Amino acid sequence: MSEGGISARGVRRAFGNVVALQHIDLDAPAGAVTALVGPNGSGKTTLLLVLATLLAPDAGHVRVAGFDPVRQARAVRARTGWMPDVFGTWGTLTCREVLRVVTDTHRMPRARAEARIDDLLGLVHLDDLADRPTQVLSRGQKQRLGLARALVHDPQVVLLDEPASGLDPRSRVELRGIVRDLATAGKAVVVSSHVLSELDEMADRAVIVAEGCTIAVETLDEVAERPRTWRVRALDEQSLVAALDARGIPYGEGDRYGREIEIASDVEAAEVLNALVSDGVPVVAFHPAGGVLERTYLALTEDRR
Ligand SMILES: Nc1ncnc2c1ncn2[C@@H]1O[C@H](COP(=O)(O)OP(=O)(O)OP(=O)(O)O)[C@@H](O)[C@H]1O
Ligand SMILES: [Mg+2]
């Protein structure tokens, strides 16, 4: 495991008789975005709290940027940015003051801190609201301030719990860009989310948890190589069906979004498309139905509801 990343083995944490984390293994290397996905109540927030030093595990071995979050909490906090799923702060503080609390905590020199705060307020488009109390912010604006707060001290490890929730479409696209840039800059980023289609475009790897256990670790490139459903739509439905029949390619019911066909690999998908076009089918759309991560997730968590 690289120096600046996260490694967690056999992490366990119970609240009374509720076992939130049973046996979690998670690696989040530096320079990559690791998605943390799982059903409601599967332990994602609990795990992120452990990594952020805010909750002690009952058992297990955890290293965040090389340090133990229990015995070396201060060192971990100095290197970790944490964005909780719900932004909490005193509503009377202004956006700028909220960020200043963090720069003061980390004893950043004033001039550098102010420059950093200005940059981040610009990054999350809160410059106009910089000196307004946070209680006037909308939910999405609070989320964006929460993201800025997590990044103020330029942490090596970034933990984001449902960062996209409440964000409008443009802010979501921007969040994706910010998260990718963090990984490119060599940070270890962990993002929990239920919006799997978004993670497809943001994450390099996915750790899937259910009932407090790690049940799968996937790299998104691998997942893309698996068989999946594709959707094909043609201007002329009859010629599409005729061509699929003639070539013995099974297909599902049709609707205005086209027909679904099962295809084993991207190479085969290219062959099918080529064949349809050379048969003269006026194909207007040909694309995977649903994201790769969504498919894997649904298959893995199917029997756990
Ligand atoms: N402070 C607490 N006291 C008691 N039980 C808790 C506490 N925090 C979490 N739990 C329980 O631990 C389990 C895991 O909760 P957690 O919040 O980690 O799930 P999650 O995966 O983040 O869910 P979601 O997708 O809904 O955010 C749940 O059964 C929850 O009820
Ligand atoms: Mg949660």
Side-chain angles (χ1 to χ4, degrees), residues 48 82-83 147 150 158-163 175 179 189-192:
L48 290 171
W82 158 242
M83 177 182 175
L147 177 65
V158 181
L159 307 169
L160 309 173
D161 198 3
E162 311 265 355
L175 171 73
V179 167
V189 188
V190 181
V191 186
S192 89

Side-chain angles (χ1 to χ4, degrees), residues 49-233:
L49 288 169
V50 167
L51 300 175
T53 77
L54 302 171
L55 194 66
D58 298 332
H61 184 272
V62 183
R63 287 291 175 274
V64 177
F67 297 94
D68 178 344
V70 177
R71 291 185 300 109
Q72 299 164 302
R74 189 188 288 266
V76 170
R77 279 183 205 165
R79 292 165 179 78
T80 304
W82 158 242
M83 177 182 175
D85 52 354
V86 178
F87 179 87
T89 179
W90 288 290
T92 50
L93 291 185
T94 67
C95 296
R96 191 180 294 281
E97 285 164 348
V98 164
L99 301 183
R100 219 175 259 151
V101 169
V102 185
T103 58
D104 287 352
T105 308
H106 294 286
R107 301 208 168 85
M108 284 171 70
R110 185 41 67 102
R112 209 181 96 213
E114 290 304 311
R116 177 79 181 152
I117 289 171
D118 282 337
D119 285 352
L120 281 170
L121 286 170
L123 183 74
V124 299
H125 303 291
L126 288 176
D127 352 34
D128 291 348
L129 295 166
D131 298 308
R132 303 288 306 277
T134 58
Q135 63 202 3
V136 309
L137 299 184
S138 73
R139 181 166 129 83
Q141 289 164 341
K142 279 187 185 147
Q143 281 295 99
R144 275 150 45 194
L145 181 60
L147 177 65
R149 184 172 61 173
L151 302 180
V152 171
H153 55 305
D154 193 24
Q156 168 58 29
V157 171
V158 181
L159 307 169
L160 309 173
D161 198 3
E162 311 265 355
S165 79
L167 294 187
D168 60 42
R170 185 179 302 278
S171 303
R172 283 175 185 242
V173 173
E174 286 171 356
L175 171 73
R176 208 185 300 154
I178 293 171
V179 167
R180 286 307 325 165
D181 288 349
L182 288 167
T184 305
K187 316 291 186 190
V189 188
V190 181
V191 186
S192 89
S193 176
H194 293 295
V195 189
L196 300 181
S197 55
E198 251 163 29
L199 292 175
D200 270 350
E201 294 177 40
M202 206 193 288
D204 304 295
R205 323 167 53 255
V207 174
I208 303 178
V209 297
E211 296 173 0
C213 296
T214 302
I215 57 168
V217 179
E218 308 276 357
T219 66
L220 270 83
D221 291 345
E222 265 170 34
V223 171
E225 290 305 307
R226 302 221 181 111
R228 51 181 156 151
T229 307
W230 287 67
R231 197 179 289 281
V232 53
R233 190 163 68 85

